[in-house]
């Protein structure tokens, strides 16, 4: 993809030289892209559809640790976590901008790795990279991604549409990314104490990948469309199941009942959480970074959803006065509390 990086440093290239070097292999594939990189702004045409826009900021030391996060994985993840917000609106992502702030001491091949991961995500999810920026940073690596997408007005799904009696559904499985993070942090501590000890991640590929290379659920949006199921409310699971279901309840002015036994947790997540002395259900409720889709659907859609292997029905929406509750496997009732990611915690 990138040629003749050699020993070139960023100071030699300069900002525009770096941009030219990184973007020369960018290809545009979306019909909605009229003009991509190379002018003062991109030009997009969505032909009457609603336009969806979302931005995420990732900061070294806050959102990622370069001691165990490969740069190619980081570029990939930075893109896909942003695309996830478009899918959470029941839309299709079509373009991104990708901006980075970094020290001039960063070697060019490291920047190439980061960018290669971003472009890999673009190709996999069928989106065009149409712009961005580069800047020097005195505070470590900074990544900002803006994703752009579209949907028919009748398809756009907000957080505030849940109705009493609606099913609460979630894609995939939960808690894996958080448990994978605990594993990576443990191995980092061991390495810092004794650099001669190599990380031991054998047999834990799934949960490590859930943390380092999660996948946005474009396929679920496509599946729901093929089933003729229009979610009444939807959100992606970035901060933990508890936080996300409370967002839907607050925005919809409703209550909910979740059933612990219905929450999908992969066996590797479950077993590794136990090894760390963690409650697997708490990891699913409060861990975050799974990037699955949590949505509500009408009771009449139950027959369409009940046998879908990648969708779990985990509860239902209630009137607000009924509270927001989790029913444990033993039948006890617990109020749902959001204890997930706090950006200023």
């Amino acid at each position: 993809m990138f040629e003749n990086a050699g020993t070139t440093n960023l100071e030699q290239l300069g900002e525009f030289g770096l941009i030219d070097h990184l973007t020369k292999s960018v290809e545009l594939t979306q019909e909605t892209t009229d003009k991509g990189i190379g002018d003062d702004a991109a030009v997009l045409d969505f032909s009457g559809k609603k336009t969806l826009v979302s931005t995420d900021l990732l900061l070294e030391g806050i959102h990622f640790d370069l001691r165990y996060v490969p740069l190619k994985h980081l570029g990939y993840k930075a893109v896909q976590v942003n695309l996830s917000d478009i899918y959470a609106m029941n839309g299709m992502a079509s373009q991104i901008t990708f901006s980075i702030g970094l020290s001039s001491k960063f070697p060019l091949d490291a920047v190439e790795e980061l960018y290669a991961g971003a472009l890999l995500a673009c190709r996999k999810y069928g989106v065009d990279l149409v712009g961005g920026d580069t800047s020097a940073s005195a505070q470590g690596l900074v990544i900002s991604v803006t994703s752009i997408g579209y949907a028919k007005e009748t398809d756009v799904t907000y957080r505030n549409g849940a109705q009493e009696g609606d099913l609460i559904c979630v894609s995939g499985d939960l808690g894996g990314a958080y448990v994978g993070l605990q594993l990576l942090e443990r191995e980092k501590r061991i390495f810092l104490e004794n650099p001669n000890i190599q990380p031991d991640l054998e047999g834990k590929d799934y949960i490590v990948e859930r943390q380092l290379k999660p996948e946005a659920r474009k396929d679920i949006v496509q599946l729901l469309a093929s089933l003729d199921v229009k979610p009444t409310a939807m959100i992606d699971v970035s901060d933990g199941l508890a936080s996300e279901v409370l967002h839907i309840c607050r925005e919809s002015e409703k209550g909910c009942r979740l059933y612990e036994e219905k929450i999908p947790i992969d066996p590797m997540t479950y077993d590794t959480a136990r090894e760390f002395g963690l409650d697997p259900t708490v990891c699913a409720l409060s861990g975050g970074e799974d990037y699955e889709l949590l949505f509500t659907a009408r009771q009449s859609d139950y027959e369409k959803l009940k046998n879908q292997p990648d969708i779990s029905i985990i509860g239902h929406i209630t009137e607000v006065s009924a509270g927001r509750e989790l029913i444990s496997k033993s039948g006890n009732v617990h109020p749902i509390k959001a204890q997930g990611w706090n950006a200023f915690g």
Side-chain angles (χ1 to χ4, degrees), residues 300-336:
S300 57
D301 288 325
Y302 175 76
E303 291 298 324
K304 298 176 183 177
L305 295 169
K306 68 175 184 178
N307 293 322
Q308 295 301 320
D310 216 16
I311 293 175
S312 299
I313 300 171
I314 60 173
H316 60 273
I317 296 293
T318 62
E319 61 184 13
V320 69
S321 61
R324 295 146 186 179
E325 300 174 335
L326 174 73
I327 312 305
S328 73
K329 293 175 182 176
S330 58
N332 295 320
V333 179
H334 304 276
I336 298 173

Side-chain angles (χ1 to χ4, degrees), residues 156-163 166 232-235 247-254 296:
V156 179
T157 302
Y158 301 92
R159 299 176 181 179
N160 63 0
Q163 301 297 316
D166 280 357
T232 53
M234 188 150 62
I235 190 171
H247 278 307
I248 287 178
C249 287
R250 279 193 293 266
E251 293 295 321
S252 301
E253 298 181 353
K254 295 290 184 290
T296 55

Side-chain angles (χ1 to χ4, degrees), residues 86-99:
I86 302 296
Y87 304 137
M89 300 294 291
N90 203 33
M92 282 289 112
S94 49
Q95 289 87 14
I96 66 158
T97 65
F98 190 83
S99 300

